[in-house]
Amino acid sequence: MANKAVKVGLLGLGTVGGGVARLLMEKRAELSAYLGVDLQLARAVDLEPARAEELGLAPGVFSSDSWSILEDGDIDIVVETVGGLEPARAMVLTALNKGKGVVTANKALLASHGVEIFQTARQQGVGIAFEASVGGGIPLVRSLRDSLAANRVTSCLGILNGTCNFILSRMTAEGAPFDQVLAQAQEKGYAEADPTFDVEGTDTAHKLAIVASLVTGAQPRLDDIPTEGITKITPLDIQFAGEFGFKIKLLAVLNNQGGKVEARVHPALVPHDHLLASVEGPFNALHVNGDWVGQVLLYGQGAGRRPTASAVVGDVLELARDVAAGVPGRVPPLGTQASGGRRLDLAPLDDARCQYYCRFAALDQPGVLASVARELGSFNISIEKVTQKGRQEAGPVPIVMLTHEAREADLRGALKKIDALPEIVEPTVVIRMA
Amino acid sequence: MANKAVKVGLLGLGTVGGGVARLLMEKRAELSAYLGVDLQLARAVDLEPARAEELGLAPGVFSSDSWSILEDGDIDIVVETVGGLEPARAMVLTALNKGKGVVTANKALLASHGVEIFQTARQQGVGIAFEASVGGGIPLVRSLRDSLAANRVTSCLGILNGTCNFILSRMTAEGAPFDQVLAQAQEKGYAEADPTFDVEGTDTAHKLAIVASLVTGAQPRLDDIPTEGITKITPLDIQFAGEFGFKIKLLAVLNNQGGKVEARVHPALVPHDHLLASVEGPFNALHVNGDWVGQVLLYGQGAGRRPTASAVVGDVLELARDVAAGVPGRVPPLGTQASGGRRLDLAPLDDARCQYYCRFAALDQPGVLASVARELGSFNISIEKVTQKGRQEAGPVPIVMLTHEAREADLRGALKKIDALPEIVEPTVVIRMA
């Protein structure tokens, strides 16, 4: 059954696809020696022939027709770097149905259509690998899928969006507001012209959906993941958080304890001495707790042509090794043979418990603190720390509290009452604590 | 070819082996569901039957005879947690020669006899896995072997010995001397009664040898790895390093650039803002630089029953999956098919280049600094920073310098001259900078 060559078809020659093409060409000899079979970039498809020229593809490799890959019986592995939902979904499903292994970096696709895609891969007995879909070059998908497979992963905290982390790092370093730093990030290429997808947390939610599926063997619905972005984070809150010994980071949070699974995306206060607080700029990291392994942190570059291509080609090597050994469907998509494309039901956010940072905008008059504390107390929320800054010249004064652990629904109930108090003049700012 | 059950034989029921037995028993249902075949702890061997009783092994599983595993044709995978060189070496070779896959956490064995063991595994077409041999539960062996395989790893810096890291962390936090902190560590179980193996760097060198073999596909000789431990580190040097913005850590250093491979173990100054500086207490971490992936950090618990068992059983799952799929020798021991059990020649330490921390013990008289600087200059070593503390009541004053990058042989030459100066009254303390 052993093949003499493994042929790769590459769909898309954009930032990631172009990097994959370059890596496969530059290192063909080393990668083939690693595998013990010739690893060939047999065909690459893009709508812009100029990209193929720039990459110096060998004659006959480039095509503008994706069917030249999908219908070629000689191509063993399809790399999808087209991005987006369609036509990527149709291409991936077609490739799998034609018996080809698939490598994809497409987190939106897997987060939205993972059940269908993973079921198809299993039915066809072929491999699908997606290391690059979460955390760029960081070897976290395979670590969760295989190396840590003896564990029940009880929790994960991830910094999984480089744009948001860059913006929050700069806001912290410079005390500058979100809009100003976003503009800087756009100039430097760390943020898209339309940054919504990143700064509203959607991209992080996609990645969290994939992490959750690796941890549980079942797929959450994207809509079930409560998602808050970083657009409302202010220099004032970053400063108060810092005074309490915390940094503000956009986190993907997964809790998998006591039979309930919680998954959510939101900014959070991270203690200065937590390793995630040291993850700065465009870097990503996933902090994992396993019932046997304890704490593990996996850190690296979460995006960019070269790190992402490293992960994609690492996946190509895995699938190619299995193709060469005659066992193309050796590993189920999520590692476990028990996964049947199940849906994962998430616990409602109302039942989540954590500590909270609350900033109240209060009139500078006696008794406000007591009123706020009374309302919190009536919802069984106790206060761990409080700071009230000296009188302002005019306008409201900020009262900042860190609560003890409380139930989300209780906090929301208390805040509704508090924000209705006559002494509270702006909606209270709430940020969860990690 | 698919098996209905995969049978595991466990050699050794000590700290790690006992953890492996417990994990395999506790999670038999989950692990079997993950694999899609029944994963059985078929036999466990130890010289102390009391250990088997304590673990509650099922009747018929315990034996005091290792041949009951090695000669049992039904056992597919042998887990070696005996430790040490013999009889572990003979057991591992016998298991491989009988066509069994082997999982081992034995870094001393692999560092000393890796070539022989890896060649035997390849000849017999069976798997050998050793995630737990470096960094305990951290998924670093498989990350280097597979996930990052598209990269040339250009450098690694590792904190790979929890005992040393615990001692250095405590010395830094308390300003206490080595001996006192070692005694604390021994009390807490973080250091052995005879700590030589850890504190002299030998254990770290074993792990570095394994990392070097994963990175290069070839095996260094242990004797070729220059190895310094932490016994000479003083609170004074930790304090000076701190003033310059560094922590002192025991590092495994691998450089793989320009065709030369350097591997060495020694204490080093790590900048406060480097992630490795945040690795405290008994934790381990490996910082990797790859030509495509850039920086990656892998962090977690480097020792202990549960984290190590997590890694061992992760390896068992990998080998079991391959046994079940009928491809027991799918992955070569070091990942690459190109590895033929080659020896790795290391570059001589004399040619290494780094920055150095030097503490001179000088008589408190004019012109000493000039004399020292002149000798350094005559060996082309320039000074980046220098600090000279105020006069002592009596005795020598410390002069501390950080050099610019210099060649090791040049530094040693200059120090020979400097230590012969009449104004220098004690041998100069030198610590490399990361």
Side-chain angles (χ1 to χ4, degrees), chain A residues 27 34-35 145-146 150-152 275 291-292 295-297 299-300 306-307 310 321-322 330 335-337, chain B residues 27 34-35 145-146 150-152 275 291-292 295-297 299-300 306-307 310 321-322 330 335-337:
Chain A
K27 296 207 177 186
Y34 175 87
L35 285 175
R145 194 194 71 182
D146 298 341
N151 290 268
R152 184 163 66 88
L275 278 175
D291 61 347
W292 278 73
Q295 293 180 52
V296 168
L297 182 90
Y299 165 96
R306 290 175 69 94
S310 160
R321 184 145 63 190
D322 287 350
R330 188 182 58 91
T336 172
Q337 294 283 357
Chain B
K27 298 208 179 186
Y34 175 87
L35 285 174
R145 193 194 71 181
D146 298 340
N151 290 268
R152 185 163 65 90
L275 278 176
D291 61 349
W292 279 71
Q295 293 181 53
V296 169
L297 181 90
Y299 166 95
R306 291 175 69 93
S310 160
R321 185 144 64 189
D322 287 350
R330 187 183 58 92
T336 173
Q337 295 283 357

Side-chain angles (χ1 to χ4, degrees), chain B residues 259-273:
Chain B
K260 293 181 314 178
V261 180
E262 297 174 10
R264 53 184 193 263
V265 173
H266 53 71
L269 271 66
V270 177
H272 278 149
D273 62 358

Side-chain angles (χ1 to χ4, degrees), chain B residues 329-352:
Chain B
R330 187 183 58 92
V331 188
L334 298 171
T336 173
Q337 295 283 357
S339 166
R342 269 187 308 125
R343 276 289 174 196
L344 175 66
D345 288 319
L346 296 179
L349 182 60
D350 272 356
D351 292 339

